[in-house]
Amino acid sequence: SASETPFSMHAFSHMMNTKLSSSNYLVWREQMLLVLAFHKLSDQIDDSVSPPPDTVTTADKTCPNPDAAIWTTNDLKAVLLIKSSLTEEAAAEVLGLTTTRQI
């Protein structure tokens, strides 16, 4: 898990020296892809993997899906990393967006 890595998410947010602006998208994108991959959060932005259903049914009983809870936690981590790397102008463009894929 990401907590087993030598750098916490908090440390990464301080190490990211490139904030997204209108003129540096490619540099910012490369940085973010590396950070997300390091934290094993690439699935959050990859359209080839769908979020798991919120519930699962086994033996005619519907229960919360633990995989969905993990997915949601990972998505929040990715959202925090991405939003922490935005300039104020870029952050204004994603107001109200709550998932990594929306952003």
Side-chain angles (χ1 to χ4, degrees):
S1 76
S3 63
E4 296 170 353
T5 62
F7 300 109
S8 69
M9 287 186 58
H10 178 73
F12 261 104
S13 68
H14 290 288
M15 291 169 56
M16 289 187 284
N17 58 0
T18 302
K19 300 258 185 190
L20 177 62
S21 69
S22 61
S23 63
N24 68 349
Y25 173 74
L26 292 176
V27 173
W28 173 86
R29 181 180 183 273
E30 182 175 325
Q31 172 184 266
M32 286 311 304
L33 290 175
L34 288 169
V35 169
L36 292 169
F38 181 84
H39 284 287
K40 297 178 176 65
L41 299 171
S42 297
D43 286 351
Q44 303 308 127
I45 59 170
D46 185 352
D47 284 338
S48 68
V49 180
S50 297
D54 290 334
T55 59
V56 291
T57 303
T58 54
D60 295 328
K61 183 177 178 185
T62 300
C63 306
N65 184 351
D67 291 339
I70 293 167
W71 179 274
T72 300
T73 298
N74 285 339
D75 199 60
L76 289 172
K77 289 176 184 178
V79 166
L80 288 169
L81 284 168
I82 291 170
K83 285 191 171 186
S84 71
S85 73
L86 303 177
T87 62
E88 287 184 34
E89 293 80 13
E93 296 296 322
V94 298
L95 281 176
L97 302 180
T98 58
T99 67
T100 306
R101 290 182 185 179
Q102 289 174 339
I103 295 168

